[in-house]
Amino acid sequence: MVTPDLSVRLGSLRLRNPVLTASGTFGYGLEFLPFLSLEEIGGIVVKGLSPKPRKGNPPERIVETPSGMLNAIGLQNVGVDAFLAEKLPELRRHDTAVVANVFGETIPEYVEVCAKLDAAEGIAAIELNVSCPNVEAGGMAFGADAASLARVTRACRDATRLPLWVKLSPNVTDIRETARAAEAEGADAVSLVNTYVGMVVDVERRRPVLANGCGGLSGPAIRPLAVWATWQVSRAVAIPVVGMGGIASGRDAVEFLLAGASAVQVGTASFVHPDASVRIAREIGSWLAGHGLASVREIVGTLRTGKEERR
Amino acid sequence: MPRDLSVEIASHRDLGGGNHLLEVEAAPLARETAPGQFFMIGFPGADTLLRRPFSVCGLPGTFDGSSRSAVHVLYKVVGRGTEHLASRKPGSPLSILGPLGRGFDLELGAGTEALLVAGGIGSAPFPALAAALGARGIRCTLLYGARSASDLPLLDWFRARAPEVIVTTEDGSAGTRGLVTDPLRERLARGGNVRILACGPNPMLREVAAIAREASVPCEVSLEARMACGFGVCLGCVVPTRRGEGGETAYERVCVEGPVMPAEKLAW
């Protein structure tokens, strides 16, 4: 049996396989070196980087939910300068695509981080975080409507020549509108979905479990919602789609690929099994081989709903 | 360096009061784990998603009759994860990630006496700790407080192995009625070269830390927190800490900078 070709192309960026690790679930990548080889995945998306270090939200920050978890970390991170000085040089010793997730409270803050990353060596792409539900300013505030998403995308597009991805929030009425706005303002790809806003209540204390009140829901619980969003967006835009939401196996990843994603991100699964991303990449290969397919690119967007035939 | 291992339950004892002692054979963990470190344990086939954190309770030599590759975990049923774990029989598979985190400082110096202060199931890390300190010739006294007599797991083990055990219960059903901080104050009033190593609920730890500070006695506390990953990336398990007296506060991870932290570092 021929080993299937797992490589994919997202615009100008080539990845050895379609599996990336999702921002906020993979630290700065280095934390995972005891468990996996970064050379076996397509790339990593690092924790959201802001202009200055951020302290994050007070605890409690996480709670498990049925087939998922709710988090309100509040983008605690070392800041873009410390990332470039301390983390990136280490990461560059590994042959993997490093995607920098960017967060700001204002458009000038987004632009500042993008410009610094643009000047650095070793960044494969920028992913704009306009969809974090757990911060007071910035984040989801920019991703909640197409007009504000368009403004931040345009400003960042003008600040960098790096491939620019926009990570979309599912907490909108129609995710296709924000996806189209990102495309119109020069994004090279959209990634989706970020977490769904939710709440867990401690009924004894009559308070939310999380100190932040609400948090973002991730894990297998959101997978059908995320597959649906991927399917909708992939038909609404011409730029590549990076799909994510509760992927825990190769078969889960194939759902997103069939629904139109050119690549996927693995998130919460890396908390449970640190080597989940590598296993998922291998399982995609096995699935393709088992179906006699030569390349992962053959299956992207080939979902059949049955409706076309009936028409 | 932590590893992710697939193991089977070697033995599983119900100690009463919801407390259980779990044993697994995991030679690399038995070799590399230090007292105060912890494991993330997953339950394949269960309907829980995340693993759960457990302190190491026993290492080779801690409990009589266990093998050189055995590690023990002492836990209390407190939620869905531990409830499920308690139903698992010997031979049942588990995934175990470890050793993780920062353990207790074992270099106490000659002539220092260790005061181990436990609140209920907070005694979990102390058998391995007491055994390691004993092997270094350090005298250990256990101050063991709980709500009631059924909340004092492994009390017989401590009585057999620690030179001195002082028990308090809130309902008076075992030892002296009262809180564990009462005998701690009395013991510190006698002076001497002592160090406190404490584990239990946060209100108890805060009180122990305050008493230690007043008496100018060094104190380490072992903290508990909800965790998704256990190796430093989810940032879910943080506690507020302070750099220096009156210094700026930050959030540090219980799973990497802890679970054992110097009490004076905590901003609580």
Side-chain angles (χ1 to χ4, degrees), chain A residues 24-27 31-32 34-35 47 55-65 67-69 73 76 209 218-220 268 270-275, chain B residues 1-4 40 47-52 80 95 97 100 225-240 249-253:
Chain A
T25 64
F26 211 69
E31 297 89 334
F32 281 79
F35 308 111
K47 177 79 181 165
K55 197 174 153 184
N57 291 332
E60 300 282 330
R61 288 180 170 186
I62 57 166
V63 61
E64 184 167 318
T65 59
S67 295
M69 62 177 284
I73 307 302
Q76 178 174 346
V209 170
S218 66
T268 301
S270 295
F271 293 155
V272 185
H273 299 288
D275 63 350
Chain B
M1 185 139 112
R3 335 157 174 251
D4 189 3
M40 291 297 285
D47 66 353
T48 47
L49 174 70
L50 304 171
R51 300 186 194 214
R52 299 292 191 269
R80 284 173 57 238
S95 58
L97 180 66
L100 298 165
R226 289 182 207 269
M227 288 178 190
C229 71
F231 51 93
V233 296
C234 78
L235 308 181
C237 65
V238 298
V239 287
T249 60
Y251 290 117
E252 290 191 67
R253 300 163 295 185

Side-chain angles (χ1 to χ4, degrees), chain B residues 22-115:
Chain B
L22 174 81
E23 179 186 24
V24 301
E25 297 277 333
L29 300 185
R31 224 171 24 241
E32 294 166 20
T33 306
Q37 288 191 296
F38 72 101
F39 309 123
M40 291 297 285
I41 299 184
F43 324 124
D47 66 353
T48 47
L49 174 70
L50 304 171
R51 300 186 194 214
R52 299 292 191 269
F54 298 93
S55 283
V56 63
C57 174
L59 290 165
T62 308
F63 295 108
D64 294 334
S66 66
S67 81
R68 293 202 54 76
S69 57
V71 295
H72 289 77
V73 156
L74 174 67
Y75 69 95
K76 181 174 181 164
V77 173
V78 294
R80 284 173 57 238
T82 44
E83 202 172 290
H84 173 85
L85 179 58
S87 73
R88 294 217 162 186
K89 304 275 184 287
S92 175
L94 295 176
S95 58
I96 182 164
L97 180 66
L100 298 165
R102 173 187 180 276
F104 291 102
D105 180 4
L106 300 176
E107 306 307 318
L108 268 62
T112 303
E113 181 185 354
L115 299 181

Side-chain angles (χ1 to χ4, degrees), chain B residues 65-189:
Chain B
S66 66
S67 81
R68 293 202 54 76
S69 57
V71 295
H72 289 77
V73 156
L74 174 67
Y75 69 95
K76 181 174 181 164
V77 173
V78 294
R80 284 173 57 238
T82 44
E83 202 172 290
H84 173 85
L85 179 58
S87 73
R88 294 217 162 186
K89 304 275 184 287
S92 175
L94 295 176
S95 58
I96 182 164
L97 180 66
L100 298 165
R102 173 187 180 276
F104 291 102
D105 180 4
L106 300 176
E107 306 307 318
L108 268 62
T112 303
E113 181 185 354
L115 299 181
L116 313 187
V117 184
I121 190 63
S123 64
F126 288 158
L129 176 65
L133 291 175
R136 286 170 159 73
I138 289 166
R139 184 186 155 85
C140 292
T141 294
L142 176 70
L143 308 174
Y144 199 173
R147 200 159 289 167
S148 167
S150 62
D151 304 318
L152 296 161
L154 299 179
L155 180 58
D156 291 341
W157 184 93
F158 286 112
R159 282 193 164 135
R161 295 289 291 270
E164 193 182 352
V165 177
I166 298 166
V167 172
T168 62
T169 52
E170 289 173 47
D171 66 1
S173 56
T176 312
R177 181 192 293 263
L179 298 175
V180 72
T181 42
D182 301 335
L184 176 64
R185 281 198 187 84
E186 287 164 25
R187 176 62 193 78
L188 292 181

Side-chain angles (χ1 to χ4, degrees), chain A residues 15 21 29 57 75 95 99 135 146 160 202 206 219 223 257 279 295:
Chain A
L15 304 176
T21 58
N57 291 332
L75 282 167
D95 178 20
V99 178
V135 289
T160 179
D202 178 338
R206 298 195 184 194
R223 192 190 312 134
L257 296 168
R279 176 176 48 78
S295 163

